[in-house]
Amino acid sequence: MSKVVITDTHPPCLCALHPSGSLHLGGLRTALYNYIFAKKHRGSFILRLEDTDQTRLVPGAAENIENMLEWAGILPDESPRRGGPAGPYQQSQRLELYSQATEALLKTGAAYPCFCSLQRLELLKKEALRNHQTPRYDNRCRNLTQAQVAQKLAQTPKPAIRFRLQEQAPAFQDLVYGWNRHEVSSVEGDPVILKSDGFPTYHLACVVDDHHMGISHVLRGSEWLVSTSKHLLLYQALGWRPPHFAHLPLLLNRDGSKLSKRHGDIFLDHFATAGFLPDALLDIITNCGSGFAENQMGRTLPELVTQFDLTRITCHSALLDLEKLPEFNRLHLRRLVNSKAQRHQLVEKLRSLVEEEFGSQLQDRAVLDPLYLERIILLRQGHICRLQDLVSPVYSYLWTRPAVDRAQLSAISEKAEEVAKRVLGLLQRPSMNLTQDILNGELKKLSDGLEGTKHSHIMKLLRMALSGQLQGPPVAEMMVSLGPREVQERIQKALSS
């Protein structure tokens, strides 16, 4: 869960995340809306880690969250890693603030100690489920006398603290869902706000932190919409002014089912490793939802900030079709290729991918030359969805020489040797400028005078000689990619084998 917050001047926008695992698409989407809302209003983006549930903490998760936000280009202005005036940014380091708020609630009678054991609470839950009822606390400790409380404190010095829900919760106007009121006291028992171990629950922690951090707007997932009335009651009991709330509709699979964290393919690590670009992910998760005047592919992060309109967010769930992600990635990859500075980074990345994938298989390390790598990227732009595609088996011929012999070529055409001679002669012309357009015209002439030899057979023969494959890019492009010297060497090697 994450949220954004805005104050009256130079608004700080806060994203609160649970370090209970790797950052996934749902968390990224809410964090992104936080970020673009903050930047739209010239605010700063603050990351807060809600780590008060010690049982759910995963080692390294906090670092992963910051790493993935930075990878996505959503850089926090303040965070546990970066620091800042609103810190500390981990709730486990803010326990004194929660303790002070709890004491204030206890003094006014808005909260009370609860001595119920875990076993009793579990029995209440089982009994409710057996009777087909929603489990709820029966408020047993709500009306204990001072004498009873003192007696129990002698036996249980660190009880849990519960908040006394009022019968009438205040109505509030959500910036997405409109006017809401949820009579929480009629459907649930008094909630725990401070556990016996001294750590707060989310309900208390978010209220206390948002107050002390000067938050005026909160954007979070719609699963918290019902809890908002409970939070407003806490603000009321503490005498604090609540922020404005905007709840974002859920991000669901294309078929309307929930995104499952059990499948690793919704975590950002998976997409980063698979070679998808951050901008493609940001683009698709905003494209499938709302908040913009029109749906369009190819928006960059600055464009998302400029075009975002909170009033355009609808209550409908956002249906994510990840099968379209490769197409989104293709558009953003092409945009990077057309930027000279970005293209240089792509060249370096491709070099690493080639070395990693082929390593000692490289017969000629000239394929790692930046000019060669850049030529490949420029020729294949618009045809590939990810840079990793260029090191797939389909493109192995770009990096290693195929094992092709004369028999394979003769099986395609009896005129293999004559065709090869004509191509070699073509390449040896002093005035030959090796461009795709010129090559296409010259290749069409190769079948002239070769009775019974179709142009398609010649192309198939050349493709086999150059790549060892029957399918692939146009032959003219292959020749431009490899260069005249390499084309000659491969053809001559195939004929002599």
Side-chain angles (χ1 to χ4, degrees):
M1 193 283 300
S2 61
K3 59 187 174 184
V4 62
V5 291
I6 300 288
T7 55
D8 294 329
T9 57
H10 301 294
C13 302
L14 181 144
C15 175
L17 294 169
H18 298 290
S20 56
S22 299
L23 188 62
H24 57 83
L25 287 179
L28 173 66
R29 176 177 174 268
T30 313
L32 173 60
Y33 275 95
N34 296 340
Y35 177 90
I36 59 181
F37 183 59
K39 298 307 176 184
K40 179 82 173 181
H41 297 278
R42 295 178 299 167
S44 54
F45 182 54
I46 302 173
L47 173 66
R48 185 173 75 208
L49 297 181
E50 298 183 337
D51 60 349
T52 57
D53 189 346
Q54 299 290 291
T55 62
R56 294 178 57 201
L57 294 186
V58 174
E63 291 75 15
N64 174 271
I65 288 172
E66 291 221 48
N67 290 341
M68 288 295 95
L69 287 178
E70 291 180 6
W71 172 81
I74 307 176
L75 297 172
D77 298 295
E78 301 175 35
S79 70
R81 180 179 294 172
R82 293 171 176 261
Y89 299 93
Q90 289 175 264
Q91 289 186 331
S92 58
Q93 299 174 12
R94 302 172 65 88
L95 299 185
E96 182 60 30
L97 290 173
Y98 313 133
S99 177
Q100 292 173 2
T102 302
E103 285 300 320
L105 293 171
L106 285 170
K107 285 181 180 179
T108 61
Y112 60 90
C114 176
F115 302 92
C116 295
S117 65
L118 292 176
Q119 292 83 352
R120 179 179 186 275
L121 296 175
E122 186 62 29
L123 286 174
L124 281 175
K125 180 179 178 180
K126 289 181 178 178
E127 181 67 19
L129 292 174
R130 187 162 49 245
N131 294 324
H132 306 288
Q133 298 174 344
T134 301
R136 57 181 292 179
Y137 177 57
D138 61 0
N139 297 348
R140 178 178 182 178
C141 295
R142 176 190 264 227
N143 298 314
L144 292 177
T145 64
Q146 289 186 352
Q148 290 173 318
V149 169
Q151 183 181 9
K152 290 182 177 293
L153 282 175
Q155 300 171 353
T156 309
K158 292 185 177 181
I161 306 299
R162 291 184 180 272
F163 177 62
R164 194 185 301 270
L165 292 178
Q166 300 299 314
E167 290 188 4
Q168 289 206 350
F172 66 98
Q173 187 173 25
D174 187 82
L175 298 178
V176 173
Y177 286 82
W179 282 101
N180 272 261
R181 184 202 298 270
H182 302 280
E183 299 296 353
V184 285
S185 65
S186 64
V187 294
E188 61 180 282
D190 294 336
V192 172
I193 55 173
L194 195 72
K195 295 173 286 187
S196 59
D197 60 5
F199 282 84
T201 60
Y202 169 74
H203 304 300
L204 177 67
C206 74
V207 168
V208 171
D209 286 340
D210 290 349
H211 169 73
H212 285 286
M213 288 183 172
I215 306 312
S216 68
H217 289 70
V218 175
L219 272 68
R220 57 187 179 188
S222 59
E223 67 270 23
W224 294 106
L225 183 61
V226 174
S227 296
T228 304
S229 292
K230 192 185 310 180
H231 300 160
L232 290 173
L233 287 171
L234 273 166
Y235 277 106
Q236 185 175 286
L238 288 164
W240 296 340
R241 180 181 177 182
H244 299 287
F245 292 93
H247 288 84
L248 305 174
L250 294 176
L251 182 64
L252 303 175
N253 290 316
R254 181 178 58 176
D255 61 2
S257 61
K258 288 186 178 181
L259 297 177
S260 175
K261 298 179 185 178
R262 289 176 293 182
H263 300 118
D265 57 359
I266 73 162
F267 292 105
L268 264 61
D269 312 68
H270 162 78
F271 296 103
T273 302
F276 289 103
L277 297 169
D279 276 344
L281 280 178
L282 302 184
D283 193 7
I284 195 172
I285 61 178
T286 49
N287 185 274
C288 72
S290 52
F292 302 89
E294 58 185 41
N295 283 342
Q296 64 181 70
M297 296 175 64
R299 278 189 287 232
T300 62
L301 185 54
E303 289 170 334
L304 290 175
V305 172
T306 301
Q307 298 178 25
F308 178 67
D309 183 352
L310 181 63
T311 64
R312 290 186 176 272
I313 296 181
T314 68
C315 303
H316 304 297
S317 296
L319 301 181
L320 177 65
D321 186 358
L322 284 176
E323 291 183 5
K324 294 181 179 178
L325 181 58
E327 177 61 16
F328 277 83
N329 209 71
R330 183 184 67 81
L331 289 176
H332 285 278
L333 180 58
R334 189 166 192 170
R335 177 178 54 80
L336 295 183
V337 172
N338 289 323
S339 164
K340 189 172 182 180
Q342 297 287 352
R343 189 163 68 240
H344 174 73
Q345 295 181 19
L346 293 176
V347 167
E348 291 302 311
K349 176 63 176 175
L350 181 57
R351 177 189 175 98
S352 300
L353 289 171
V354 173
E355 287 193 288
E356 181 182 339
E357 185 66 26
F358 295 97
S360 59
Q361 300 177 48
L362 298 177
Q363 299 105 330
D364 187 352
R365 295 188 68 79
V367 298
L368 299 177
D369 181 85
L371 291 177
Y372 177 74
L373 295 168
E374 184 176 31
R375 185 163 78 237
I376 300 303
I377 291 174
L378 285 169
L379 287 168
R380 283 281 87 195
Q381 65 168 317
H383 298 283
I384 58 172
C385 294
R386 304 172 305 151
L387 205 59
Q388 271 84 340
D389 294 344
L390 290 176
V391 295
S392 66
V394 175
Y395 292 106
S396 60
Y397 72 91
L398 292 169
W399 322 112
T400 61
R401 297 184 180 109
V404 182
D405 57 31
R406 178 189 285 266
Q408 288 175 279
L409 299 184
S410 298
I412 297 173
S413 173
E414 296 178 355
K415 305 290 178 61
E417 187 165 354
E418 178 60 28
V419 171
K421 287 181 180 179
R422 292 189 178 195
V423 174
L424 292 175
L426 175 67
L427 296 174
Q428 290 167 0
R429 293 181 192 174
S431 60
M432 187 62 181
N433 183 18
L434 206 63
T435 66
Q436 283 192 71
D437 289 341
I438 293 176
L439 272 174
N440 276 323
E442 294 295 329
L443 290 174
K444 287 178 181 178
K445 302 175 185 177
L446 289 179
S447 59
D448 293 349
L450 295 178
E451 189 175 345
T453 302
K454 295 181 178 180
H455 177 71
S456 60
H457 289 170
I458 292 178
M459 293 302 99
K460 187 181 294 185
L461 183 150
L462 291 176
R463 183 176 282 108
M464 175 60 69
L466 297 177
S467 68
Q469 302 173 26
L470 292 175
Q471 295 181 332
V475 171
E477 183 187 320
M478 282 185 168
M479 295 174 71
V480 174
S481 298
L482 296 170
R485 184 181 64 82
E486 184 66 21
V487 170
Q488 292 178 47
E489 187 169 331
R490 293 191 183 192
I491 292 176
Q492 290 170 342
K493 180 183 176 184
L495 288 175
S496 62
S497 300

